[in-house]
Amino acid sequence: MAEKAPSPQDLLGPYYFGVVLGTFFYGILVLQVITYYQSFKKDKLWLRLFILYLFVAETASTAVSIAMIYEPLVGQFGQVTPEGIPKPMFFFPSLLPGQPFLEVAVFVPVQFFYSWRISVIMRNYIMAVLICLTSILSAVGAIWTGIVVHNVKNYLRKPEVNNSALIWSVSAAGADVLITASLFWSLRTRRTGIRKTDDTINTIIRNAIQTGALTVVFTLLDVVLFVALDHSTLNFVFDFALPKLYSNALVSTLNARAGGVTGSHAPNVLFSGSGSGSNSHSRQAGSLHQLPSAHKLVIEMNTVVEREDDMLALGDRRTHSDHPYAEPK
């Protein structure tokens, strides 16, 4: 018995809602980017160009998504195949194979950025290299998926895309889990028994888990729905929003440098190099000798907390002119 093509409800509806959700996240990203360029004009050129690159990539991805859904909803309206099947119900949108390439252009650089900063926080490169390798494997799976979708062309052969889509999505989720787990472990081991300090660490851990869990959930829902529902595009509700989640998470982290947790001027790991942190710490060490031992312990523990906070979008209260990513005066 021949397989039936998907119904309009199973196919076009999820495309539509996926594009709407992705466009919504893109609007949030526009506000985030405007805030960044208005608030951090002295950041180094490479970082400002990196944010510009992400914004351009997301703009292209959003434009392609809108053009892609226009084709089956409007461009192919009333058109049928020689077998009498409506074209929107039979063929993949012609721009769909480009979507994985656009997503790779966003999530791989973002994951590499986080892996670089994790190497600074943990003071070793093992986990960072593992995250990068997992991210590269995900990129290979995404590119493979785009090529297979281009060759397959229609929904009746959709199961042929499953293997490459599994490699793509599972690897991307794995990289996100490694990032979250690395942050969780490095912070958990820094608990001190001091209630105020431990409460701050717990808050940071909760933010780390929430940030990582959101992208992991969207990625897993994307792949599970793609594989489980052969004649539905429900997975694209989550797929179109994924790159926007990555970009929004990173830009909001950069913008959060104006925020604060403890209010001291301790160095911050996400936005400082190994040298800048040690100089600031040396200045603090000199003043610690003049304080009682109990006060020394509290200040040292708070310094540890603030060295992690900006990685999780909590920020610190240093003025932007003290920021190590700022251009030299």
Side-chain angles (χ1 to χ4, degrees):
M1 182 176 178
E3 295 185 75
K4 294 182 180 180
S7 68
Q9 292 82 3
D10 291 334
L11 191 150
L12 299 183
Y15 272 134
Y16 172 78
F17 287 110
V19 171
V20 168
L21 183 60
T23 305
F24 171 75
F25 283 134
Y26 174 74
I28 297 175
L29 179 64
V30 170
L31 296 178
Q32 294 273 19
V33 171
I34 291 174
T35 300
Y36 170 76
Y37 281 110
Q38 287 179 340
S39 303
F40 299 97
K41 298 179 180 179
K42 294 185 179 180
D43 272 0
K44 289 187 177 179
L45 180 60
W46 72 264
L47 183 59
R48 292 170 63 83
L49 290 177
F50 180 54
I51 299 304
L52 178 61
Y53 162 78
L54 290 178
F55 178 72
V56 171
E58 293 290 19
T59 301
S61 176
T62 303
V64 169
S65 298
I66 294 173
M68 184 191 69
I69 193 59
Y70 177 88
E71 180 184 13
L73 289 179
V74 180
Q76 294 179 340
F77 181 78
Q79 298 182 17
V80 298
T81 66
E83 295 80 11
I85 302 174
K87 283 188 176 181
M89 303 299 107
F90 187 77
F91 290 110
F92 287 129
S94 58
L95 293 177
L96 183 62
Q99 188 68 22
F101 293 87
L102 292 172
E103 293 190 21
V104 165
V106 172
F107 73 76
V108 170
V110 171
Q111 288 175 339
F112 271 48
F113 181 88
Y114 277 118
S115 67
W116 166 51
R117 299 319 299 170
I118 284 173
S119 69
V120 177
I121 294 174
M122 300 185 70
R123 296 181 176 86
N124 69 70
Y125 296 96
I126 297 177
M127 187 57 67
V129 170
L130 186 58
I131 293 170
C132 289
L133 291 176
T134 308
S135 183
I136 291 173
L137 180 61
S138 177
V140 172
I143 295 171
W144 182 16
T145 299
I147 295 173
V148 174
V149 169
H150 175 74
N151 293 333
V152 167
K153 297 186 186 302
N154 68 73
Y155 292 102
L156 296 182
R157 298 176 60 189
K158 184 182 174 186
E160 297 179 27
V161 190
N162 288 353
N163 291 336
S164 58
L166 279 171
I167 293 176
W168 171 16
S169 300
V170 172
S171 299
D176 293 332
V177 169
L178 289 174
I179 291 171
T180 304
S182 300
L183 295 171
F184 173 81
W185 178 256
S186 63
L187 293 173
R188 185 175 180 274
T189 56
R190 294 173 187 264
R191 285 178 175 150
T192 64
I194 301 174
R195 181 176 177 179
K196 183 176 180 180
T197 301
D198 286 353
D199 286 346
T200 304
I201 292 177
N202 290 335
T203 300
I204 296 171
I205 290 174
R206 284 194 298 270
N207 277 272
I209 294 175
Q210 290 168 1
T211 302
L214 187 60
T215 54
V216 171
V217 167
F218 267 61
T219 304
L220 292 180
L221 285 173
D222 181 19
V223 67
V224 169
L225 293 173
F226 184 88
V227 174
L229 305 177
D230 287 341
H231 301 309
S232 173
T233 59
L234 188 59
N235 64 291
F236 287 106
V237 173
F238 306 96
D239 183 79
F240 291 155
L242 264 175
K244 278 73 175 177
L245 287 178
Y246 282 104
S247 297
N248 272 296
L250 179 58
V251 180
S252 65
T253 300
L254 296 172
N255 288 339
R257 286 175 287 173
V261 177
T262 60
S264 69
H265 296 270
N268 190 297
V269 166
L270 181 62
F271 304 113
S272 62
S274 57
S276 62
S278 59
N279 292 336
S280 176
H281 184 73
S282 299
R283 292 193 297 270
Q284 289 182 358
S287 62
L288 284 178
H289 292 296
Q290 304 173 9
L291 297 174
S293 59
H295 289 181
K296 292 178 184 178
L297 179 60
V298 171
I299 291 176
E300 288 172 354
M301 292 304 102
N302 283 339
T303 298
V304 170
V305 171
E306 291 201 359
R307 286 177 64 84
E308 312 295 346
D309 57 14
D310 224 353
M311 186 68 184
L312 306 173
L314 296 181
D316 59 34
R317 292 183 179 177
R318 291 182 302 163
T319 60
H320 183 59
S321 60
D322 295 330
H323 203 281
Y325 272 175
E327 293 286 0
K329 294 180 179 179

